Structure formats: C-alpha cells, structure tokens
Amino acid sequence: MKLRYVGDLPKVTSRGVGFDQTKPDKYTFMNAAVELLEALSYGATETTQHLHNLSGVYYSDEDLLALLKKHCSDLNAILTERDIKSDAFKEDLIKRVAENSIISEDERNAWRTNIAYMEEYYRQYVTNESAYRCALDALAEAIKGAKVKEIIFPMFKNYGAVLHDLTAVLAKLKSPIDATLSVEAKNDAFEGKFTIQHR
C-alpha cells in the first residue's frame, strides 16, 4: 500500500477525462489528520483540558503510512475495500459503455481506453480516501478515550477541514459525541476551536 497525491475524482467519458473539483483527493487532508492523531493519542488522563502546539510539520508519504499503521489496526481491510470499490467502479463504467446505444463503436472503444488509462489513478484515489477515513476513525477513538473536550488549532494546513469531517464520525459512534467548530479572534489573529461534548 502506498499513499501519494493524485488529484480530484476522475470523470471518464468517450471524449476524455475530466476531474470533479467538488470531490478532492483526501490525501490533501492526510497530513493534518495524522498530525492531530499524533497530538491527541495519549489515552485517558486526569485532565480533559488539552492544548497542543501543532507545529505544521509536513510528513513524507512513507512517514504518513508508518504513522497510519501505528494508529489504524485495520489497514489490510482498507486494501480489500479499495480493490472492491475500484473494481465495482470500473465494472459500472464498462457496463454504461456497453449499454449506451447512441455512441459509435469508435467512441465506445475510446471510452474503454480512457477507463483503462485511469484505473490506477482511481485505485490510488480510493486508497487515499479509505486511509483518510481510517485516520478519522482512529482520531474519534482517541478523543473518546482521552475524553478530550476542546482542541484549539491554527487556521491553516487543513486542520479545520479535518475536524469538520470528524464531526460526522463522532456523531456516528456507538455512544455519539457532539462537536462544534468555531473561529475566534485572539491577539490580532484567528484561531479555530473544536468543542466536544461527551455524554
């Protein structure tokens, strides 16, 4: 398994390949997710008021994978899931090509060629998406285990986007946890605040 940036979700047609900018590669958020995981994975403590100085470190692809392996016990399941999802996507596209009665045989062949050309790209896109989801699940468990009540974070490097995605993950836990994001002005700058309410 490798992690690397590929780009937005591909849209494959007989005319070529486009990209859906509303569905970015989750690799974009992986660094911030792993940094938050490293900062918050300390288990239960006597205090629930935590402040961590997120340094804005940038991990290499290899470091990201090593840290994910440290925090996510089911990375092998991610590989299986990735293959199933990628194969289903490819089969669906090929079926659509076969069922399309308004295109010529040349267009049909071009479409199949474009699907084959983008297969590895899409597989990496799904790998990144699955690894990111694994990081969010591990982050939710770390917050639950340590009963973290508040995270203060700088307004850069996608921390806010990761914590926004984490809100939905926390809400789906067996014992749901409510969380809210806010922005506050402090010392002529803005900082983010992630407030967590354990039940």
Side-chain angles (χ1 to χ4, degrees):
M1 176 178 176
K2 290 184 179 179
L3 295 175
R4 64 181 177 87
Y5 178 78
V6 285
D8 300 333
L9 179 69
K11 297 189 290 186
V12 183
T13 69
S14 61
R15 295 181 189 92
V17 177
F19 299 93
D20 186 346
Q21 294 181 349
T22 65
K23 296 181 179 176
D25 184 353
K26 295 300 184 184
Y27 181 92
T28 305
F29 311 112
M30 195 81 71
N31 202 92
V34 168
E35 190 176 355
L36 285 164
L37 254 178
E38 283 289 282
L40 296 170
S41 295
Y42 39 68
T45 61
E46 291 186 17
T47 178
T48 55
Q49 299 300 323
H50 304 288
L51 181 64
H52 181 81
N53 182 18
L54 293 165
S55 60
V57 63
Y58 285 92
Y59 297 111
S60 69
D61 295 347
E62 294 77 19
D63 289 340
L64 282 174
L65 185 56
L67 291 168
L68 272 177
K69 286 179 179 177
K70 172 181 164 185
H71 295 288
C72 299
S73 59
D74 58 350
L75 276 183
N76 286 336
I78 286 176
L79 286 176
T80 303
E81 176 187 317
R82 172 201 71 180
D83 291 340
I84 291 169
K85 189 172 180 181
S86 296
D87 291 344
F89 178 74
K90 180 181 175 184
E91 288 169 17
D92 180 58
L93 284 177
I94 291 172
K95 183 179 176 185
R96 286 173 35 201
V97 171
E99 292 174 349
N100 191 321
S101 60
I102 61 170
I103 61 174
S104 69
E105 193 58 34
D106 286 343
E107 288 175 306
R108 203 179 309 281
N109 289 334
W111 199 345
R112 287 190 193 108
T113 300
N114 290 338
I115 291 168
Y117 180 74
M118 293 305 292
E119 185 174 358
E120 284 307 310
Y121 179 105
Y122 184 73
R123 192 174 300 276
Q124 187 63 53
Y125 179 91
V126 172
T127 299
N128 294 345
E129 184 178 57
S130 299
Y132 178 65
R133 191 167 56 251
C134 183
L136 289 179
D137 289 342
L139 197 49
E141 289 300 324
I143 286 171
K144 180 180 177 181
K147 297 198 182 315
V148 176
K149 291 187 177 178
E150 186 176 274
I151 300 169
I152 306 296
F153 60 95
M155 296 299 295
F156 69 96
K157 219 189 100 182
N158 294 317
Y159 299 120
V162 170
L163 292 169
H164 175 268
D165 291 345
L166 182 62
T167 303
V169 177
L170 289 168
K172 291 179 183 174
L173 290 175
K174 287 185 180 178
S175 297
I177 296 173
D178 296 324
T180 55
L181 271 171
S182 60
V183 178
E184 297 180 354
K186 190 173 183 181
N187 299 329
D188 297 326
F190 290 99
E191 66 180 17
K193 185 175 176 182
F194 190 65
T195 306
I196 305 144
Q197 298 173 340
H198 297 267
R199 297 180 187 182

